[in-house]
Amino acid sequence: LGAGYMLLEVCLAQKLILYLGYPALTLSVILFSLLVGSGLGSLFSQRWPRPQMLRTAAVAALLVSLGTVALIVLLPPLLSATLVWPITRRCLMVMALLVPLGFGMGIPFPTGLREVRTWPGSIVPWAWGVNGVASVLGSMLAMLLGKLFGFQTVLLGGAAVYALVFAVASAAWSRAHRMPSAD
């Protein structure tokens, strides 16, 4: 998840930097939007009871994957059509697009932590560590792969990561749904 998050974040920054016109502003708007959205998604994900949380994480991951593909298709004409807008309206439009994406991106990781917390032995610290390392490697990988294959391809790679999360969470939900609850 950390790598997928960074693949999307770095590529969105690359795609939006010319649209917003200023590198520092672009990074601020993207980070603000994704982090606020992710924080709200993480907070919201704690409301679901355990039997529903894996299904919700699967749906969120699928929506992130589909939303990313939709952005790839819709962003170029949308940016062209709104390029004449004042910078404030452009920033608000980018925020309106990215906060919902961030919301979905914020659901799978805390849900996964809730799930692994129930496993024998404590691997929660390991999950945090692996996600942190994956985030750092994901940001470097996004730039490298973006230069080699194009940032649109890397965005598709980020969508693929979330599609994989969808498959894993769906399988885990299906398995947990078949087994009697230990709660």
Side-chain angles (χ1 to χ4, degrees):
L1 283 170
Y5 195 102
M6 293 309 293
L7 291 175
L8 296 181
E9 183 181 307
V10 169
C11 292
L12 287 169
Q14 185 64 29
K15 289 202 160 289
L16 294 169
I17 199 163
L18 291 176
Y19 178 70
L20 295 179
Y22 305 97
L25 176 65
T26 302
L27 189 59
S28 297
V29 168
I30 290 170
L31 288 176
F32 175 81
S33 302
L34 290 179
L35 291 177
V36 165
S38 295
L40 291 172
S42 177
L43 178 65
F44 196 65
S45 73
Q46 302 306 303
R47 306 183 108 202
W48 292 297
R50 191 161 184 272
Q52 296 173 354
M53 71 181 190
L54 292 172
R55 181 182 60 189
T56 305
V59 169
L62 179 63
L63 291 175
V64 169
S65 188
L66 295 174
T68 301
V69 172
L71 276 178
I72 290 169
V73 172
L74 299 174
L75 210 52
L78 183 62
L79 298 183
S80 293
T82 59
L83 191 56
V84 296
W85 287 4
I87 191 70
T88 305
R89 283 182 66 194
R90 286 184 278 161
C91 288
L92 290 172
M93 194 223 16
V94 167
M95 286 183 218
L97 291 172
L98 296 186
V99 168
L101 187 69
F103 184 86
M105 292 165 70
I107 293 173
F109 185 69
T111 302
L113 288 178
R114 281 179 67 192
E115 177 63 20
V116 300
R117 187 180 69 207
T118 65
W119 295 359
S122 179
I123 66 165
V124 171
W126 279 99
W128 274 104
V130 168
N131 192 62
V133 169
S135 296
V136 172
L137 294 176
S139 63
M140 293 186 306
L141 197 60
M143 289 306 294
L144 176 66
L145 294 176
K147 293 291 182 187
L148 291 174
F149 302 110
F151 288 98
Q152 188 156 311
T153 303
V154 179
L155 268 175
L156 285 172
V161 169
Y162 279 90
L164 179 63
V165 170
F166 163 72
V168 170
S170 293
W173 177 77
S174 178
R175 183 178 36 103
H177 192 63
R178 284 191 310 259
M179 295 175 19
S181 177
D183 291 340

